[in-house]
């Protein structure tokens, strides 16, 4: 897929992010191979990998040898490169000088000015409940002497090449990690610490020792040792900046019951893995014994080991015997009668569920959410829909909840709803959202196979690839037989027979009498098999195989399809799920009414009442930031309107230089003359946009066949270099024309260019070459500029040093994400990506690193690495260290503040991720200088949630954008947010189609002491700096770039990803550690296949755009 076709996600049926053409119109987009990504599920931790000492960044790399020894008394050469890289100041390319930097600027309401305040840092002695400055309150003076060696928030104009003295965190003796010898948790930093043996270095959650200063002079909190001692930051007051308004949220107030809840342990023998069977057993038990043995109580059951009641049962322990008829005969007995299964059920009192602590938590008087109590209420409200509908995760689906839609290849979409109970500031809230997913159509198997192969299967025999496709699609699917009248016995398919039906025979008795399947069906059932050349379905096990001809089987209704959808199916599902805000709101209200919680016998039994009105929530619309363009353009800056602007009359703030370029055409429909014309128009557009771009290529465009991609690329590269090398010049850019449907070509091409030839490339699809619209060319120019080291635009506030907690001292902003393989790909590794800003004060350019790690491992293993080198002893490295060093090389300054945006973490993993990754950041900093500990703010960015915000009045044009969605910049930090912690919802982008999904930001650690206004404004403003389009985007760009980076790296490993409906976007990769390729160790000590190394000159730029 061409990297011009903008990446899109399945997000309730709307594109993830629309790309606006710089000339103001929406870019044409194609739902084609690799243009849509279905987000992955996340799983828990795995084992850590090995280290790499190689550095990467936007302006110069370190050789592997530069990873230095960890030294007991610090100092060393931590920040000093052993080899000069491409250094360079702030502004590369043709950029003009910026004006007004350091000027006083205008006062932003709600944003503190650097001139007036110094700031108090919360010492280590305070946990979550410690005093902290509140928004609007008077700041306490700072008692610990000069902060940052005299670099305060009032900074002289211009970037200084002399490195200011850093604020020194307390002295760290960093030979081995240490843990506290006292049980007092994170608040006792001044107590003595006990050293740990070096064998414990690999432990995941270790506390970093900080010694030698009293708490009053500390800014840095000790990284928590375990989830017992960690406390996420309290909300520092609510934001006040922006225009106030009311929005509606799909949260429904749930009244807390006053019942006495009891929990019972359930054990069912023989044990079964199916929740459905467990529920059937318990359902039968309640039907038989509710009045006689259960005291009339209606219990709620989780389908596994726990049962909950509103009040006690009349016993503490009791055993029941329950008989069920077996609907699924996996072995296929020959008798006509269904087997009966007897289960022994033991119900035993376990505990009383405490709702008092839940009430305290909701009132903000208790720190920890009582998960047990929340789980009980969730189970109670799920009982009825679980019985009525097909449950999938937290959602419920039914063919009766909306029209079924065919998705192709034997699949159909079912409508449904998501339901989850959440603790919020307004109390308990039931979050309800609309949802759709793919189910297998309940077709006769013959029809399913015909749809799957898209042909008449009676015409010609199946090929080997047909068999593989059928087997893959049908394995594990439940079918019912149709040749026995009303007796519809069910079976689960285990495979296909290797022989055709007419060739199959089996013994029918103990005397060895053998019959063919065709003969058996004719004699026993009077059924004449027509499709004798097709294989049979295998529904038994190997010991007792059972053959069923395809034509006597029908797929059982209600089976969710959990494998990967192809691109056409995703497009069809998008169309079904894409709803305008007004329609979606109506559907949600109808769903709540239809669910009739007031009549739900379980809700009544437990005393839970649900409000049927959407929550009305106070919101604010943050203003857009002013963006700087080059002074030589007619318009030197712009104030975006409704989340978008264009490049008319503007020039890039730093135009990159492309002196030498070439073009390869892989599309047989594009003639050489058309390729030449397209490239010429693109070169002119790059010049108009502000780049220094040569109009003529080094060599004329050449046409090549896709199957010869490697040979063609290398030959053309050599031809160009034969001309350039004698002149001491390099090839700056390769323009590539691709067929519209290009399979694995895109991935192969990116892998070869970036890891083999050291070339940045720009791919363009054939349809765009013929269309050649101005807006398309301008969009491509934006992408090319950042790929060759330029900048498209910069925040005016960044240049005038008016961004609180960024402009006052050198600040590095990180983005991190982990992408996991698709369901069913059991062996592929997960890929972690980390990007970091490489310019200050602009914070616009991001260098990136990626690493393969254990399958479905969510914790980023390569953030900090320690390894033993035979010559150099203990060597440290990892992604954070490399990016810190490249920031220092690019700006001449050490970061004195770290802001870390972490994408893709579910709530259940907050503690794990924070403990592991904050510890890695700490260690990476300490490995550069023993007492170097810049304050860290760690923010999780979530898009995979079900909160939706709607305009209070859909007809008020002042409160909605053109798509009917809430305005970009809408922020919510009250009512539907966490009762006590620092989180907010921000809709930073304008909608295009469907209902906008706001991003949810949750602060897990904050040593920089952001106010709500400061963090919300910074995050919103950064969303306007995304390099690939002239629109604000829906998640903060560093997190977005990390996401793109991880996906590009998957192309390096699996070049055919684009063929199967994944995103075809961009990424970064990293080279091998000394002596070989980089790899991580997966669980079970299996080495993860390493990623190929990126070439050094490619690493220096934002090539993943």
């Amino acid at each position: 897929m061409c990297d011009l076709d903008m990446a899109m996600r399945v997000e309730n049926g709307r594109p993830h992010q629309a790309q606006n053409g710089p000339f103001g119109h929406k870019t044409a987009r194609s739902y084609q191979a690799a243009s849509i990504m279905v987000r992955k599920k996340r799983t828990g931790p795995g084992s850590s990998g090995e280290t790499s000492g190689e550095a990467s960044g936007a302006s110069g790399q370190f050789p592997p040898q530069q990873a230095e020894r960890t030294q007991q008394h610090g100092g060393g050469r931590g920040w000093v490169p052993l080899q000069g890289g491409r250094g360079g100041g702030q502004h590369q390319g043709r950029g003009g000088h910026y004006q007004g930097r350091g000027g006083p600027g205008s006062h932003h309401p709600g944003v503190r000015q650097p001139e007036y305040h110094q700031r108090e840092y919360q010492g280590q002695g305070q946990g979550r409940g410690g005093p902290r400055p509140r928004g609007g309150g008077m700041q306490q003076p700072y008692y610990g002497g000069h902060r940052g060696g005299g670099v305060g928030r009032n900074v002289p104009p211009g970037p200084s090449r002399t490195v200011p003295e850093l604020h020194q965190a307390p002295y760290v003796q960093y030979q081995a990690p240490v843990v506290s010898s006292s049980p007092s948790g994170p608040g006792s930093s001044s107590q003595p610490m006990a050293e740990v043996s070096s064998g414990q270095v690999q432990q995941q959650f270790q506390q970093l020792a900080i010694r030698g200063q009293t708490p009053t002079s500390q800014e840095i909190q000790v990284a928590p040792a375990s989830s017992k001692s960690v406390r996420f930051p309290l909300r520092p007051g609510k934001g006040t900046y922006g225009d106030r308004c009311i929005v509606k949220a799909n949260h429904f107030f749930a009244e807390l019951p006053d019942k006495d809840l009891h929990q019972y342990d359930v054990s069912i023998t023989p044990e079964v893995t199916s929740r459905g069977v467990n529920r059937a057993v318990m359902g039968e038990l309640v039907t038989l014994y509710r009045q006689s043995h259960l005291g009339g109580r209606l219990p709620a059951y989780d389908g596994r080991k726990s049962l909950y009641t509103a009040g006690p049962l009349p016993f503490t322990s009791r055993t029941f015997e329950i008989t069920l008829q077996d609907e699924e005969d996996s072995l296929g007995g020959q008798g006509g009668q269904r087997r009966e299964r007897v289960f022994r059920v033991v119900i035993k009192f376990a505990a009383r569920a405490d709702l008092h602590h839940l009430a305290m938590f909701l009132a903000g008087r208790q720190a920890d959410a009582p998960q047990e109590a929340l789980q009980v209420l969730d189970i109670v409200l799920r009982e009825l829909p679980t019985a009525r509908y097909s449950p999938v995760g937290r959602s419920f689906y039914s063919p009766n909840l909306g029209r079924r839609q065919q998705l192709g290849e034997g699949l159909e979409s079912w409508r449904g709803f998501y339901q989850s109970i959440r603790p919020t500031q307004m109390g308990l809230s039931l979050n309800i959202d609309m949802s759709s997913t793919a189910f297998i159509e309940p077709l006769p198997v013959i029809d399913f196979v015909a749809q799957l192969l898209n042909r008449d299967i009676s015409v010609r025999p199946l090929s080997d690839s047909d068999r593989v496709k059928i087997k893959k699609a049908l394995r594990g699917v439940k079918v019912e037989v149709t040749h026995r009248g009303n007796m519809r016995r069910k079976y689960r398919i285990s495979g296909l027979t290797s022989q055709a039906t007419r060739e199959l025979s089996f013994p029918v008795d103990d005397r060895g009498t053998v019959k063919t399947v065709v003969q058996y069906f004719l004699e026993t059932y009077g059924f004449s098999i027509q499709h004798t050349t097709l294989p049979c379905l295998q529904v038994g096990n190997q010991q007792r195989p059972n053959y069923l001809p395809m034509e006597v089987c029908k797929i059982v209704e209600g089976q969710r399809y959990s494998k990967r959808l192809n691109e056409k199916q995703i497009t069809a599902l998008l169309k079904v799920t894409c709803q305008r805000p007004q329609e979606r709101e109506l559907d949600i209200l109808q769903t709540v009414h239809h669910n009739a919680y007031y009549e739900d016998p379980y809700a009544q039994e437990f005393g839970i009442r649900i409000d049927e009105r959407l929550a009305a929530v106070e919101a604010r619309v943050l203003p857009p930031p002013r963006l700087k363009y080059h002074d030589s353009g007619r318009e030197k800056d712009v104030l975006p309107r409704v989340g978008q602007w264009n490049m008319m009359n503007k020039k890039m703030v730093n135009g990159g230089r492309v002196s030498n370029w070439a073009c390869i055409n892989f599309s047989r429909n594009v003639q050489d003359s058309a390729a030449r014309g397209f490239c010429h128009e693109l070169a002119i557009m790059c010049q108009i946009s502000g780049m220094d771009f040569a109009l003529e290529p080094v060599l004329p465009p050449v046409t090549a066949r896709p199957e010869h991609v490697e040979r063609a690329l290398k030959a053309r590269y050599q031809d160009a270099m034969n001309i350039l090398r004698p002149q001491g010049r390099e090839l700056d850019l390769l323009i590539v024309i691709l067929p519209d449907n290009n399979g694995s070509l895109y991935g192969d091409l990116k892998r070869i260019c970036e890891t083999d030839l050291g070339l940045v490339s720009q791919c363009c699809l054939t349809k765009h070459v013929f269309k050649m619209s101005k807006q398309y060319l301008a969009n491509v120019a934006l992408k090319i500029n950042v790929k060759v080291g330029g900048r498209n635009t910069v925040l005016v506030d960044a240049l005038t040093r008016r961004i609180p907690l960024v402009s006052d001292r050198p600040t590095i902003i990180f983005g991190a994400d982990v992408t996991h393989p698709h369901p069913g790909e059991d062996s592929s590794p997960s890929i972690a990506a980390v990007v970091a800003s490489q310019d200050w004060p602009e914070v616009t350019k991001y260098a990136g690193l990626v690493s393969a790690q254990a399958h479905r491992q969510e914790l980023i293993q390569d953030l900090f690495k320690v390894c033993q080198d035979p010559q150099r002893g203990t060597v440290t490295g990892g992604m954070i260290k490399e990016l810190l060093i490249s920031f220092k090389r690019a700006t001449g300054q050490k970061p004195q503040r770290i802001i870390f945006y972490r994408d893709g973490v579910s709530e259940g993993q907050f503690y794990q991720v924070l403990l592991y990754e904050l510890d890695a950041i700490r260690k990476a900093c300490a490995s550069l200088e023993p007492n170097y500990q810049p304050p860290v703010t760690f923010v999780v960015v979530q898009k995979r949630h079900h909160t939706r915000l709607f305009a209070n009045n859909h007809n008020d044009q002042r409160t909605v954008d053109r798509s009917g969605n809430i305005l970009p910049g809408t922020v919510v930090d009250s009512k539907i947010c966490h009762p006590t912690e620092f989180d907010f919802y921000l809709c930073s982008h304008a909608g295009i189609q469907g209902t906008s999904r706001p991003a949810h930001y949750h602060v897990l650690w904050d040593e920089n002491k952001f106010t709500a206004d400061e963090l919300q404004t910074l995050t919103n403003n950064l969303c306007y700096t995304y390099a690939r389009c002239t629109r604000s985007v829906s998640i903060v760009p560093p997190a977005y770039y990390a996401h793109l980076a991880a996906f590009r790296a998957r192309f390096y490993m699996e070049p055919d990803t684009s063929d199967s409906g994944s995103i075809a976007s961009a990424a970064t990769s990293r080279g091998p550690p000394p002596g070989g390729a980089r790899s991580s160790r997966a669980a079970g000590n299996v080495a993860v296949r390493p990623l190929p190394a990126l070439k050094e000159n490619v690493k220096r730029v934002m090539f993943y755009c």
Side-chain angles (χ1 to χ4, degrees):
M1 133 110 191
C2 169
D3 49 357
L4 258 261
D5 277 337
M6 306 312 177
M8 300 163 73
R9 289 187 194 165
V10 175
E11 283 185 358
N12 287 1
R14 52 174 284 277
H16 165 63
Q17 188 59 53
Q19 308 283 356
N20 198 50
F23 285 92
H25 310 294
K26 198 164 66 179
T27 313
R29 103 193 54 241
S30 69
Y31 291 87
Q32 58 149 15
S35 66
I36 300 172
M37 178 199 70
V38 180
R39 283 282 285 195
K40 65 275 169 192
K41 261 205 163 103
R42 316 249 177 204
T43 54
S47 59
S48 71
E50 293 167 7
T51 189
S52 159
E54 153 234 351
S56 160
S59 51
Q61 310 305 319
F62 291 105
Q65 293 90 318
Q66 78 94 49
E68 81 299 324
R69 232 177 259 272
T70 316
Q71 304 198 1
Q72 180 149 359
H73 294 293
R77 295 175 58 86
W79 286 99
V80 185
L82 296 186
Q83 162 192 311
R86 196 170 106 192
Q90 296 294 306
H91 318 303
Q92 299 174 2
R94 278 178 64 229
H97 43 269
Y98 304 144
Q99 295 169 351
R101 180 182 290 165
S106 59
H107 182 71
H108 283 238
V111 179
R112 293 197 302 255
Q113 297 299 299
E115 289 80 7
Y116 305 125
H117 294 300
Q118 284 187 311
R119 189 179 272 275
E120 178 191 48
Y121 280 85
Q122 184 176 327
Q124 291 172 355
Q126 289 152 9
R128 182 172 178 175
R132 50 192 298 150
R134 294 270 162 181
M138 189 68 179
Q139 291 292 318
Q140 297 298 313
Y142 180 74
Y143 291 110
H146 289 295
R147 289 178 50 207
V151 181
R153 300 182 74 170
N154 197 5
V155 180
S160 167
R161 293 299 287 169
T162 58
V163 182
E165 181 192 344
L166 277 170
H167 159 75
Q168 297 298 318
Y171 172 72
V172 180
Q173 188 171 14
Y174 201 80
Q175 187 145 30
V178 299
V179 290
S180 170
S181 59
S182 93
S184 48
S188 57
S189 59
S190 58
Q191 306 228 354
M193 300 288 186
E195 292 205 9
V196 175
S197 71
S198 59
Q200 289 175 273
V201 168
Q202 296 304 322
Q203 285 187 351
Q204 283 189 334
F205 307 129
Q206 283 168 331
Q207 186 171 335
L208 186 63
I210 296 185
R211 307 176 182 217
Q213 285 194 343
T214 57
T216 52
S217 63
Q218 288 176 335
E219 298 180 29
I220 305 303
Q221 302 167 24
V222 178
S226 73
S227 58
K228 295 281 186 288
S229 61
V230 75
R231 286 287 176 267
F232 299 145
L234 294 171
R235 188 181 301 283
K238 292 187 177 133
T240 58
Y241 190 36
D243 296 331
R244 292 174 63 179
C245 63
I246 299 290
V247 295
K248 289 177 287 187
N250 59 339
H251 285 241
F252 298 85
F253 178 67
E255 203 174 305
L256 198 62
D258 56 359
K259 301 274 180 143
D260 189 15
L261 300 189
H262 287 62
Q263 180 186 352
Y264 292 83
D265 286 338
V266 174
S267 106
I268 299 177
T269 45
E271 204 168 314
V272 283
T273 52
S274 163
R275 281 192 188 199
V277 173
N278 286 344
R279 286 186 189 283
V281 169
M282 196 54 68
E284 184 73 2
L285 188 152
V286 171
T287 304
L288 293 174
Y289 300 114
R290 178 179 176 182
Q291 299 306 331
S292 58
H293 293 72
L294 303 181
R297 303 226 178 267
L298 181 63
Y301 177 49
D302 71 353
R304 296 235 185 270
K305 303 279 184 190
S306 295
L307 189 78
Y308 300 96
T309 57
L313 293 175
F315 54 81
T316 52
S317 180
R318 185 155 196 145
T319 303
F320 298 86
E321 278 209 353
I322 301 295
T323 304
L324 279 190
Q325 281 203 328
D326 190 8
E327 67 150 24
E328 181 183 333
D329 190 351
S330 59
L331 297 177
Q334 304 301 325
Q337 200 57 43
R338 280 193 196 177
R339 271 191 323 168
E340 289 189 337
R341 297 173 75 183
V342 178
F343 295 92
R344 185 165 169 273
V345 182
V346 180
I347 299 176
K348 196 174 182 180
F349 176 74
R352 287 173 68 163
D354 191 355
L355 288 181
H356 169 69
H357 283 289
L358 180 56
M360 294 281 284
F361 172 71
L362 292 168
R365 294 201 293 275
Q366 177 184 317
D368 290 321
Q371 293 301 334
E372 181 73 19
L374 286 168
Q375 193 182 347
V376 177
L377 301 177
D378 205 42
I379 289 164
V380 169
L381 290 173
R382 292 173 65 79
E383 273 286 354
L384 198 60
T386 298
R388 279 183 184 168
Y389 310 122
S390 297
V392 177
R394 290 189 170 276
S395 298
F396 300 95
Y397 298 96
S398 166
N400 307 319
L401 287 173
R403 204 158 58 88
R404 303 180 190 204
Q405 204 75 35
Q406 285 208 338
L407 301 178
E409 296 193 10
L411 302 185
E412 63 183 8
S413 68
W414 283 19
R415 290 269 286 162
F417 63 94
Y418 167 92
Q419 172 181 297
S420 172
I421 199 140
R422 305 184 58 77
T424 63
Q425 290 172 36
M426 67 178 183
L428 275 183
S429 143
L430 191 66
N431 181 199
I432 302 277
D433 191 24
M434 303 317 297
S435 186
S436 287
T437 197
F439 278 76
I440 302 168
E441 277 193 75
L443 298 167
V445 170
I446 288 280
D447 296 350
F448 176 86
V449 169
Q451 275 202 31
L452 183 71
L453 302 179
N454 196 23
R455 68 178 176 85
D456 182 353
I457 52 175
S458 59
V459 174
R460 64 176 189 270
L462 299 179
S463 66
D464 287 348
S465 62
D466 288 340
R467 283 171 171 276
V468 169
K469 192 172 185 183
I470 295 166
K471 188 174 180 179
K472 216 172 169 182
L474 287 177
R475 187 185 285 137
V477 172
K478 201 186 277 189
V479 292
E480 58 185 11
V481 292
T482 57
H483 64 290
R484 302 175 67 179
N486 291 330
M487 196 178 159
R488 293 274 176 129
R489 180 165 284 171
K490 292 175 181 159
Y491 301 86
R492 199 173 289 279
I493 299 169
S494 59
L496 295 182
T497 59
S498 52
Q499 297 154 288
T501 303
R502 66 184 172 204
E503 295 162 16
L504 286 169
S505 56
F506 62 100
V508 290
D509 56 32
D510 298 337
R511 298 191 301 278
T513 310
V514 172
K515 276 189 182 172
T516 65
V517 169
V518 175
Q519 187 185 0
Y520 175 80
F521 269 81
L522 188 60
E523 292 173 8
T524 313
Y525 305 112
F527 186 91
S528 175
I529 296 172
Q530 302 302 308
H531 299 271
T532 57
T533 58
L534 292 177
C536 276
L537 304 176
Q538 273 186 306
V539 294
N541 52 31
Q542 292 303 315
Q543 289 72 44
R544 190 180 168 193
N546 195 357
Y547 306 132
L548 289 176
M550 286 186 184
E551 62 205 85
V552 303
C553 296
K554 180 176 183 287
I555 292 169
V556 174
E557 186 173 73
Q559 297 179 79
R560 183 182 173 235
Y561 183 78
S562 58
K563 302 183 185 84
R564 196 153 125 188
L565 297 176
N566 66 32
E567 181 230 332
K568 281 184 181 167
Q569 291 166 335
I570 291 170
T571 305
L573 190 58
L574 263 176
K575 283 180 182 165
V576 176
T577 56
C578 187
Q579 280 187 296
R580 294 180 77 82
Q582 218 165 341
E583 295 165 21
R584 192 184 200 92
E585 183 187 324
L586 202 60
D587 273 6
I588 288 168
L589 285 167
Q590 282 175 348
T591 299
V592 172
H593 183 68
H594 179 257
N595 288 350
Y597 295 101
Y598 56 89
E599 290 176 351
D600 181 338
Y602 294 94
Q604 287 177 342
E605 170 90 4
F606 285 81
I608 302 171
R609 281 197 285 278
I610 307 294
D611 195 330
E612 292 202 352
R613 293 165 300 178
L614 290 157
V617 185
E618 273 190 27
R620 289 166 290 113
V621 180
L622 302 177
R626 190 165 282 280
L627 302 172
K628 180 79 180 94
Y629 282 91
H630 198 273
D631 288 340
S632 64
R634 273 172 44 198
E635 293 180 26
K636 296 172 178 54
D637 58 30
V638 65
L639 190 65
R641 291 171 56 88
V642 198
Q644 57 193 61
W645 64 102
N646 61 50
M647 284 291 289
M648 296 283 276
N649 304 321
K650 301 174 198 68
K651 291 192 184 294
M652 296 150 174
V653 75
N654 287 121
R657 177 176 286 121
V658 176
S659 305
N660 311 300
W661 58 275
C663 171
I664 294 190
N665 170 24
F666 286 102
S667 176
R668 63 176 183 210
N669 298 333
V670 176
Q671 303 300 316
D672 283 354
S673 57
R676 267 198 307 276
F678 173 77
C679 289
H680 186 72
E681 289 296 320
L682 181 56
I684 289 171
M685 179 57 77
C686 288
Q687 284 190 351
I688 291 169
S689 302
M691 293 183 69
D692 181 358
F693 202 104
L695 286 179
E696 290 303 320
V698 176
L699 291 164
V702 65
T703 302
R705 292 163 68 97
E707 58 269 29
H708 301 150
V709 57
E710 187 156 4
R711 191 167 61 192
L713 287 172
K714 289 182 175 176
R716 204 55 174 171
Y717 177 70
Q718 282 309 325
D719 292 345
M721 290 310 293
N722 289 340
I723 295 170
L724 297 171
R725 199 176 287 114
Q727 303 167 33
R729 295 190 295 163
E730 289 289 334
L731 192 60
D732 300 318
L733 175 71
L734 182 68
I735 295 170
V736 186
I737 297 170
L738 296 179
D740 292 334
N741 295 312
N742 54 70
S744 66
L745 178 59
Y746 176 88
D748 288 337
L749 186 137
K750 291 295 182 185
R751 174 176 49 79
I752 295 160
C753 284
E754 290 155 9
T755 67
D756 197 346
L757 302 178
L759 255 183
V760 287
S761 55
Q762 179 59 54
C763 296
C764 306
L765 289 182
T766 299
K767 61 184 179 186
H768 297 309
V769 171
F770 287 133
K771 209 171 174 187
M772 220 172 355
S773 75
K774 285 276 189 283
Q775 126 210 336
Y776 170 79
L777 294 172
N779 240 346
V780 178
L782 291 179
K783 290 156 67 71
I784 290 174
N785 188 47
V786 294
K787 287 179 183 182
V788 298
R791 280 193 199 88
N792 293 337
T793 186
V794 176
L795 295 170
V796 168
D797 278 358
L799 300 179
T800 54
R801 304 290 185 94
R802 285 185 297 149
I803 303 178
L805 291 171
V806 172
S807 298
D808 62 329
R809 54 172 70 184
T811 299
I812 187 168
I813 301 180
F814 285 91
D817 190 17
V818 178
T819 68
H820 300 296
H822 291 273
E825 288 178 21
D826 299 331
S827 58
S828 299
S830 292
I831 292 177
V834 181
V835 304
S837 58
Q838 299 294 294
D839 51 350
W840 180 83
E842 298 89 348
V843 292
T844 305
K845 286 184 177 184
Y846 289 82
L849 299 171
V850 298
S851 175
Q853 60 186 39
H855 178 74
R856 305 202 79 76
Q857 162 66 277
E858 183 56 52
L859 306 178
I860 300 176
Q861 300 298 295
D862 268 1
L863 288 181
F864 178 71
K865 302 308 252 174
V866 179
C867 71
Q868 295 301 320
D869 183 271
Q871 278 78 45
R872 293 174 291 148
T874 304
V875 176
T876 60
M879 294 162 139
I880 298 290
K881 181 173 181 176
E882 293 169 25
L883 290 166
L884 290 171
I885 291 168
S886 67
F887 178 94
K888 165 76 159 48
R889 185 178 286 150
T891 65
Q893 312 200 56
K894 304 174 202 174
Q896 296 185 39
R897 185 176 283 121
I898 292 174
I899 300 167
F900 197 94
Y901 285 103
R902 176 65 155 91
D903 192 11
V905 181
S906 60
E907 283 173 20
Q909 294 174 312
F910 278 5
Y911 285 105
Q912 271 180 310
V913 168
L914 176 68
L915 289 166
Y916 185 86
E917 296 182 5
L918 179 65
D919 187 45
I921 294 167
R922 286 266 199 271
K923 288 173 178 172
C925 292
S927 74
L928 289 162
E929 281 180 13
N931 47 5
Y932 171 60
Q933 288 295 321
V936 177
T937 296
F938 194 106
V939 186
V940 165
V941 187
Q942 292 176 303
K943 284 284 285 185
R944 299 180 69 228
H945 60 79
H946 284 269
T947 293
R948 298 291 178 274
L949 302 174
F950 303 100
N952 191 41
N953 176 3
H954 291 282
N955 299 317
D956 184 351
Q957 294 306 305
R958 295 167 303 170
T959 64
V960 293
D961 63 21
R962 279 186 303 186
S963 67
N965 279 289
I966 55 172
L967 294 171
T970 302
V971 64
V972 169
D973 61 4
S974 64
K975 201 158 182 180
I976 58 169
C977 292
H978 193 279
T980 57
E981 290 168 11
F982 188 2
D983 72 325
F984 57 92
Y985 290 95
L986 171 65
C987 183
S988 50
H989 64 297
I992 290 198
Q993 56 183 115
T995 304
S996 293
R997 182 195 307 236
H1000 183 230
Y1001 296 89
H1002 201 127
V1003 182
L1004 303 191
W1005 195 256
D1006 184 25
E1007 289 163 346
N1008 290 301
K1009 300 292 167 284
F1010 275 94
T1011 65
D1013 278 327
E1014 284 168 345
L1015 188 61
Q1016 289 164 10
T1017 303
L1018 170 66
T1019 303
N1020 186 57
N1021 289 356
L1022 286 174
C1023 289
Y1024 285 78
T1025 66
Y1026 185 64
R1028 306 203 308 174
C1029 57
T1030 52
R1031 298 180 70 93
S1032 59
V1033 289
S1034 60
I1035 60 169
V1036 71
Y1040 205 147
Y1041 293 145
H1043 182 73
L1044 297 180
F1047 264 85
R1048 172 66 61 82
R1050 203 165 285 288
F1051 282 123
Y1052 297 158
M1053 299 172 45
E1054 311 158 12
D1056 64 338
T1057 305
S1058 63
D1059 203 23
S1060 49
S1062 275
I1063 202 168
S1065 254
T1068 31
S1069 179
R1070 8 185 5 215
R1078 143 177 303 278
S1079 70
S1080 282
R1081 295 260 156 204
N1085 208 30
V1086 179
V1088 172
R1089 186 171 48 164
L1091 297 174
L1094 265 183
K1095 293 296 180 184
E1096 292 298 317
N1097 61 320
V1098 175
K1099 283 182 184 178
R1100 292 199 266 265
V1101 293
M1102 289 171 69
F1103 70 93
Y1104 46 83
C1105 284

